[in-house]
Amino acid sequence: MKDKFLFPAPLAPRRHSCPQEGSFTVYLAADGFLDDLLTELGASVLEVRERLVLASGAPQKAAWAQNIWKNPRFLPIASIGEAARALSSIQRNWHLHSIDWHRRAALIQQKLPHVSARPMTFGDAAPSAPLGSWTLWDQNLLLASPDCTSPFPDGMVAFHENRTDPPSRAYLKLWETFTLIGKHPVPGELCLDLGSAPGGWTWVAASLGAHIFSIDKAPLAPNVEAMPNVSHCIGSGFALDPRHVGQVDWFLSDMICYPDRLHEAVTRWIELGNCKNFVCTIKLQAETDHEAVARFAAIPGSRVVHLSCNKHELTWIRCAEDV
Ligand SMILES: C[S@@+](CC[C@H](N)C(=O)[O-])C[C@H]1O[C@@H](n2cnc3c(N)ncnc32)[C@H](O)[C@@H]1O
């Protein structure tokens, strides 16, 4: 049992008693971003094991969590069979996030109904059946939550990829976003794609039949620029004045820029009220600007998430229905 505590002991003391059900939440840090999650959760952190963070209180918004176990409880068990029965008695579908006693945990998982981990085809709806998460916290102690924020194992969405048409893998960010929000651009809608080159996002939205006005300092890949519903302009996305653009259905930005500059721009678009939906990547420098992230999260009706293929960046989403 090594590497149990990656967080300095004074900040996350080892607990000798388990917190009561209803008094805590478990957060799974996005891979590589445990420190960012710990900063986000602050003084509520109780204990850390690998990427799992126990924090006091009800679930709170946490952009750096890949998944949140909303209703966790500790369950003492005496055997593998008893563990499987305990989980099955709560609900059908469980995902094992193994942190220790891997063999024993795998034997328990084998006794539970199989949950498909096949990649999705873009366009399919996100799974609607609840997927619980569990781990073996101690040899004879389960930590399990039937409710999680994500219906995907560990919050990771895998797709059957298109390795021929999109010119960059960035298209996966839009595929995941549209799957999570359950809607996407449709024919007749207008999308602005700022910071669009080489064209993965533009390719996604244009393939869905919307018209795309794309802007970048660089050109699009020829196969994307040639799509009939794509108009590309070489320039800066910040030069576009929302007062001179009519009604826009989707404001998409994957521009490499300081978060505050992007925040200023989207604030202007929101104030003017002529754009319905926003999907923007918040690009972060070596040192995460948590205050800037919090300013995005504070925009009413919006959320900030770490998508499966986001690296040191977050995705800010605001849909017309949520405002
Ligand atoms: C991560 S890439 C975008 C990838 C793109 N979304 C795709 O799917 O292929 C970031 C892009 O932002 C562009 N960029 C940076 N600053 C910009 C600005 N002020 N205006 C427009 N584009 C900008 C860069 O030229 C670069 O092509």
Side-chain angles (χ1 to χ4, degrees):
M1 287 180 26
K2 52 183 167 38
D3 296 340
K4 273 225 151 142
F5 300 97
L6 302 175
F7 205 50
L11 288 172
R14 179 161 202 158
R15 299 181 65 83
H16 295 285
S17 61
C18 298
Q20 289 298 307
E21 183 178 342
S23 72
F24 72 108
T25 303
V26 177
Y27 300 82
L28 174 68
D31 203 0
F33 300 104
L34 176 62
D35 287 348
D36 285 312
L37 178 64
L38 294 174
T39 303
E40 231 182 340
L41 297 174
S44 66
V45 173
L46 299 170
E47 186 166 344
V48 182
R49 291 203 190 172
E50 301 199 342
R51 288 197 286 140
L52 287 182
V53 180
L54 267 63
S56 58
Q60 49 181 301
K61 283 186 180 175
W64 294 102
Q66 202 68 44
N67 198 11
I68 301 176
W69 302 14
K70 297 194 291 181
N71 191 11
R73 74 280 313 257
F74 286 98
L75 301 166
I77 46 126
S79 66
I80 289 169
E82 190 187 327
R85 281 192 297 280
L87 291 169
S88 298
S89 70
I90 302 174
Q91 71 172 28
R92 183 184 186 280
N93 295 335
W94 289 98
H95 169 71
L96 164 64
H97 180 87
S98 189
I99 56 169
D100 210 335
W101 294 279
H102 302 292
R103 173 87 186 125
R104 187 170 167 79
L107 290 171
I108 296 169
Q109 185 68 32
Q110 277 168 23
K111 288 187 171 291
L112 298 170
H114 176 70
V115 177
S116 167
R118 275 181 313 204
M120 293 188 72
T121 298
F122 174 62
D124 289 352
S128 53
L131 177 63
S133 290
W134 72 279
T135 196
L136 212 41
W137 191 253
D138 224 322
Q139 192 173 2
N140 289 319
L141 188 64
L142 301 179
L143 173 59
S145 172
D147 305 319
C148 295
T149 50
S150 174
F152 297 97
D154 283 348
M156 294 298 284
V157 189
F159 289 101
H160 289 292
E161 296 192 25
N162 181 327
R163 297 184 194 276
T164 26
D165 303 316
S168 71
R169 291 193 81 237
Y171 77 98
L172 290 168
K173 294 188 238 176
L174 270 198
W175 272 13
E176 183 171 346
T177 300
F178 294 152
T179 303
L180 295 180
I181 64 180
K183 68 178 216 169
H184 55 67
V186 293
E189 288 191 329
L190 175 65
C191 305
L192 295 182
D193 185 8
L194 312 183
S196 53
W201 286 28
T202 289
W203 172 82
V204 170
S207 303
L208 290 164
H211 188 88
I212 322 302
F213 185 63
S214 112
I215 304 181
D216 202 298
K217 296 168 176 175
L220 292 179
N223 68 315
V224 178
E225 182 134 32
M227 293 173 90
N229 43 345
V230 170
S231 314
H232 184 59
C233 174
I234 298 279
S236 170
F238 293 111
L240 193 67
D241 187 332
R243 289 171 304 177
H244 303 148
V245 185
Q247 200 63 37
V248 173
D249 297 289
W250 295 84
F251 178 103
L252 310 175
S253 169
D254 200 17
M255 285 187 288
I256 295 169
C257 61
Y258 287 109
D260 281 342
R261 192 156 188 222
L262 179 66
H263 185 274
E264 247 173 60
V266 298
T267 303
R268 257 200 333 274
W269 282 87
I270 290 171
E271 280 169 4
L272 225 67
N274 56 357
C275 182
K276 290 188 188 149
N277 308 291
F278 295 81
V279 179
C280 300
T281 309
I282 307 170
K283 308 273 183 185
L284 296 154
Q285 308 289 307
E287 189 79 10
T288 302
D289 185 346
H290 289 280
E291 288 176 4
V293 173
R295 280 191 279 280
F296 277 95
I299 296 175
S302 72
R303 53 180 147 158
V304 181
V305 296
H306 188 271
L307 300 173
S308 307
C309 55
N310 277 148
K311 298 213 165 54
H312 191 211
E313 59 185 22
L314 294 166
T315 301
W316 174 73
I317 305 167
R318 185 179 191 257
C319 294
E321 305 73 35
D322 299 330
V323 178

